């Protein structure tokens, strides 16, 4: 199928996209010149009265933001083959409930179309998409599927707001999928944006870097996790912005090739943090979006979440496949999620991460309270933390256990540390190992770009800093850093948080993340 050429129109002062793929054809002759909004109503062997159908249609607005009242002026009936079509059409026309009544031809595709709002043009039924303005600049682009009946290949959406300032994001009717009802597709109808690290067949992966877009074209295959989301019924509406190469760039002077999204909270001039910036701002600011999918290597979902007032989860390593994702580090990267509440976060994680424990019969029996971090300098932040910990203590029926990482290491160090203090032993292990992966993970990109264009690919100062650190690390040093991390993990697991078959973990570790002070997006960064 060729690249779609969608049409754009306005109904009841709402902007819409008419998907170019015809899904069914009406029997009646088509004499109109312009597309018209219609409601397609699918019946079984017992057809309700026109008045009853009108009552059902009027309730669409309660569950579907794509539907608008003018769609109900015209109805297209998709009748059960056993019914007398002319009799039913006459009954609906005589009711006076609709300005026009049509019905779908028996020779239409065998797929039974779901009841909902559509457009009718040239005698063909087409899906209706509502267009929302991306006024937070959270998306690189919106997308629509090439084939709405076989979601595989997508195309970027060529649409701007009426004033030309903002991209538009297209969302299909929730009635097409029965949002959350199809048990075999637990994400049916769930609208989500995906971070630019996730390949999506037919669209351009940018890595938020102009040289990358100069070197590579549209992706020919989606990432494994993207495919999983689609197979589970997710509606991918666009790709969200991130910092270049998913680096820790801060707003806005460190954003070079693309501009930083707007944080919708507060006065809208606070930093939205990084690297999954657009994933956070879009879910925080757009009620029409259900989920936001991102990734995390060193804080990429953890940092934007508090800035945008969201919950986020960075799961354990190898919780799901990273195939098809340009990773910062195979040792650190995971898929991550944002959600507006813990219920949604639990739902999407439990249905899309295959390598996580799912059953527990008890809660952890210990609360770890690290004295390296508490009490916090900001008294209001400390008061909120204290309130949370007290609630947690009451719920679990245990008191917190204050402790010090450094002191406990000093009392009972692992023999592999050879007497070195904790901070000295782990001084370079995490960051330098990450930078090694970060540098060598883009060796092919840098080499291919220079071979094709005869110059080095530009990268921001933040990216170059990590690359400069990474190229200093030898393979032998890298292996040693990973060994040090494993020693620390084993020591920490043995001393504090042991795996438990009944509670999954023997303890809960309470840690702060981020500072509560304002951080304006125009403040210079070091």
């Amino acid at each position: 199928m060729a690249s779609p050429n969608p049409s754009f129109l306005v109904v009841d002062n709402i902007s819409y996209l008419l998907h170019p793929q015809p899904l069914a054809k009406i029997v009646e002759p088509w004499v109109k010149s312009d597309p018209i909004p219609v409601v397609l109503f699918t019946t079984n062997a017992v057809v309700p009265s026109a008045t009853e159908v009108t009552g059902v249609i009027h309730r669409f607005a309660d569950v579907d933001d794509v539907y608008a009242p003018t769609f109900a002026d015209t109805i297209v009936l998709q009748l059960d083959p056993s019914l007398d079509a002319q009799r039913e059409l006459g009954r609906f026309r005589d009711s006076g409930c609709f300005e026009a009544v049509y019905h779908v031809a028996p020779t239409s595709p065998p797929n039974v179309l779901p009841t909902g709002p559509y457009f009718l043009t040239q005698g063909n039924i087409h899906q209706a998409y509502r267009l929302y303005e991306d006024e937070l600049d959270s998306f690189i682009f919106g997308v629509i599927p090439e084939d709405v009946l076989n979601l595989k290949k997508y195309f970027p959406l060529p649409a701007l707001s009426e004033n030309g300032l903002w991209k538009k994001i297209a969302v299909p009717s929730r009635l097409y999928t029965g949002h959350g009802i199809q048990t075999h597709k637990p994400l049916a109808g769930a609208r989500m944006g995906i971070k630019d690290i996730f390949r999506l067949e037919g669209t351009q992966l940018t890595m938020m870097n102009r040289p990358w877009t100069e070197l590579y074209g549209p992706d020919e295959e989606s990432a494994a996790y993207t495919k999983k989301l689609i197979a589970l019924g997710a509606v991918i509406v666009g790709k969200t912005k991130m910092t270049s190469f998913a680096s820790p760039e801060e707003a806005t002077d460190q954003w070079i090739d693309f501009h930083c999204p707007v944080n919708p909270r507060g006065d809208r001039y606070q930093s939205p943090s990084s690297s999954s910036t657009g994933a956070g701002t879009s879910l925080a600011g757009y009620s029409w979006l259900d989920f936001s999918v991102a990734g995390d290597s060193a804080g990429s979902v953890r940092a934007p979440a508090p800035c945008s007032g969201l919950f986020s989860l960075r799961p354990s390593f190898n919780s799901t496949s990273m195939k098809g994702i340009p990773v910062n580090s195979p040792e650190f990267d995971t898929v991550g999620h944002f959600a507006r509440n813990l219920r949604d976060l639990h739902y999407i994680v439990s249905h899309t991460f295959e390598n996580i424990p799912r059953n527990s019969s008890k809660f952890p029996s210990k609360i770890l309270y690290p004295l390296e971090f508490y009490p916090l300098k900001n008294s209001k932040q400390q008061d909120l933390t204290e309130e949370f910990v007290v609630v947690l203590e009451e719920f679990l029926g245990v008191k917190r256990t204050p402790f010090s990482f450094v002191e406990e290491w000093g009392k009972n160090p692992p023999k592999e540390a050879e007497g070195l203090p904790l901070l000295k032993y782990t001084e370079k292990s995490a960051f330098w190992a990450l930078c090694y992966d970060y540098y060598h993970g883009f060796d092919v990109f840098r080499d291919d770009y220079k071979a094709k264009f005869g110059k080095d690919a530009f990268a921001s100062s933040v990216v170059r800093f990590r690359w400069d650190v990474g190229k200093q690390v030898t393979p032998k040093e890298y292996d040693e850093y990973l060994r040090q991390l494993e020693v620390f993990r084993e020591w920490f697991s043995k001393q504090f948080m042991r795996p438990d078959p009944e509670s999954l973990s023997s303890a809960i570790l309470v840690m702060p993340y981020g500072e509560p002070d304002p951080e304006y997006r125009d403040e210079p960064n070091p």
Side-chain angles (χ1 to χ4, degrees):
M1 185 179 293
S3 175
N5 185 23
S7 301
F8 303 98
L9 55 160
V10 176
V11 177
D12 293 344
N13 295 316
I14 298 172
S15 296
Y16 287 91
L17 175 148
L18 181 156
H19 194 283
Q21 181 182 7
L23 300 176
K25 193 171 185 65
I26 61 171
V27 172
E28 292 76 13
W30 181 253
V31 296
K32 298 180 181 292
S33 58
D34 297 325
I36 62 170
V38 303
V39 166
L40 182 138
F41 196 89
T42 300
T43 72
N44 53 27
V46 179
V47 183
S49 69
T51 302
E52 291 171 327
V53 169
T54 301
V56 172
I57 292 173
H58 287 167
R59 291 196 292 272
F60 286 175
D62 296 335
V63 295
D64 184 29
D65 54 343
V66 175
Y67 171 79
T70 298
F71 280 89
D73 291 348
T74 302
I75 190 169
V76 177
L77 296 174
Q78 188 171 231
L79 299 169
D80 187 278
S82 64
L83 295 171
D84 183 336
Q86 293 306 314
R87 176 179 177 277
E88 298 301 334
L89 287 169
R91 190 160 63 89
F92 271 74
R93 287 169 181 153
D94 293 342
S95 71
C97 294
F98 306 98
E99 294 181 6
V101 179
Y102 302 94
H103 76 294
V104 174
T107 56
S108 297
N111 306 68
V112 175
L113 297 177
T115 294
Y118 292 82
F119 286 109
L120 179 59
T121 183
Q122 302 301 315
N124 294 312
I125 300 291
H126 297 255
Q127 281 193 353
Y129 284 66
R130 181 169 178 168
L131 295 171
Y132 284 102
E133 294 183 5
D134 178 25
E135 52 96 14
L136 298 175
D137 205 13
S138 296
F139 287 84
I140 304 170
F141 47 74
V143 299
I144 57 173
E146 178 188 61
D147 184 347
V148 300
L149 301 178
N150 180 27
L151 301 177
K152 185 175 185 290
K153 189 174 184 179
Y154 291 74
F155 291 97
L157 181 63
L160 293 176
S161 60
E162 280 65 27
N163 59 14
L165 295 178
W166 315 117
K167 295 177 289 292
K168 284 191 174 182
I169 308 299
V171 299
S173 169
R174 294 193 185 277
L175 298 171
Y176 297 158
T177 52
H179 179 51
I181 295 175
Q182 301 177 27
T183 55
H184 66 292
K185 289 189 175 182
L187 297 181
R191 300 168 180 169
M192 57 186 69
I194 56 174
K195 184 178 178 178
D196 190 40
I197 57 172
F198 293 90
R199 297 187 187 277
L200 181 65
E201 183 177 337
T203 68
Q204 173 76 60
L205 185 80
T206 75
M207 296 302 289
M208 302 298 286
N209 174 261
R210 289 180 184 271
W212 183 282
T213 63
E214 294 169 6
L215 183 62
Y216 302 117
D219 287 318
E220 297 180 354
E221 184 179 5
S222 294
Y225 194 72
T226 312
K227 291 180 181 178
K228 177 187 291 186
L229 294 173
I230 295 170
L232 292 173
V235 176
I236 308 298
V237 302
K239 301 192 76 175
T240 53
K241 286 184 173 182
M242 64 180 193
T243 50
S244 66
F245 297 101
S247 66
E249 294 164 343
E250 284 293 337
T252 63
D253 58 2
Q254 292 180 344
W255 286 64
I256 306 302
D257 285 340
F258 296 83
H259 197 55
C260 178
V262 171
N263 187 338
R265 293 177 62 81
D267 60 6
R268 295 166 67 97
Y269 282 92
Q270 299 300 310
S271 168
S273 194
S274 60
S275 70
S276 306
T277 312
T281 58
S282 59
L283 192 64
Y286 299 145
S287 61
W288 44 265
L289 197 64
D290 298 319
F291 295 100
S292 201
V293 184
D296 190 298
S297 55
S300 294
V301 297
R302 289 165 286 171
C307 292
S308 296
L310 299 170
F311 293 94
S312 68
L313 178 70
R314 174 212 162 87
S316 301
F317 298 115
N318 300 318
S319 295
T320 191
S321 172
M322 298 292 289
K323 183 181 179 182
I325 300 173
V327 296
N328 283 353
S329 167
E331 298 294 333
F332 290 85
D333 282 12
T334 67
V335 172
H337 281 281
F338 293 98
R340 297 189 186 95
N341 56 66
L342 290 174
R343 181 184 61 254
D344 286 350
L345 192 61
H346 176 268
Y347 187 85
I348 191 167
V349 167
S350 63
H351 284 94
T352 64
F353 289 167
E354 64 272 20
N355 299 324
I356 57 173
R358 299 183 183 277
N359 298 311
S360 60
S361 57
K362 293 182 179 180
F363 292 108
S365 58
K366 184 181 290 187
I367 302 170
L368 298 175
Y369 190 79
L371 299 178
E372 277 86 0
F373 300 94
Y374 298 110
L376 298 165
K377 291 185 296 183
N378 185 288
S379 60
K380 291 183 178 180
Q381 187 182 16
Q382 177 60 32
D383 289 344
L384 289 171
T385 301
E386 182 66 20
E387 182 180 341
F388 169 78
V389 173
V390 168
V391 170
L392 189 60
E393 288 177 328
E394 292 176 352
F395 178 78
L396 295 177
V398 297
K399 292 296 182 181
R400 77 196 75 179
T401 301
F403 79 104
S404 165
F405 287 100
V406 172
E407 291 180 5
E408 294 301 323
W409 178 281
K411 294 176 185 176
N412 188 21
K415 65 179 186 301
E416 294 90 344
E418 298 179 346
L420 287 176
L422 172 61
L423 298 183
K424 186 65 177 177
Y425 182 71
T426 58
E427 182 178 14
K428 290 185 175 181
S429 51
F431 183 68
W432 285 59
L434 171 64
C435 289
Y436 176 91
D437 285 338
Y438 193 58
Y439 176 69
H440 291 290
F442 296 103
D443 282 343
V444 173
F445 160 67
R446 289 190 300 270
D447 292 344
D448 287 354
Y449 186 87
K450 189 165 188 176
K452 182 173 182 178
F453 297 103
K455 60 181 180 179
D456 291 332
F458 174 83
S460 73
S461 59
V462 177
V463 173
R464 292 198 307 271
F465 172 76
R466 285 193 169 191
W467 283 355
D468 288 343
V469 171
K471 67 183 178 183
Q472 297 177 46
V473 179
T474 67
K476 183 178 180 181
E477 290 172 330
Y478 174 72
D479 290 340
E480 175 59 21
Y481 294 150
L482 294 183
R483 189 186 72 84
Q484 291 170 354
L485 289 173
E486 187 58 33
V487 168
F488 175 77
R489 287 192 193 102
E490 291 181 2
W491 172 82
F492 184 75
S493 176
K494 182 179 179 181
Q495 294 291 120
F496 299 108
M497 293 181 68
R498 296 183 304 277
D500 187 279
E502 294 182 323
S503 61
L504 304 184
S505 173
S506 63
I508 294 174
L509 175 64
V510 180
M511 293 280 286
Y513 203 100
E515 300 291 337
D517 303 313
E519 184 179 348
Y520 283 91
R521 59 190 285 127
D522 65 337
E523 293 177 358
N525 290 284

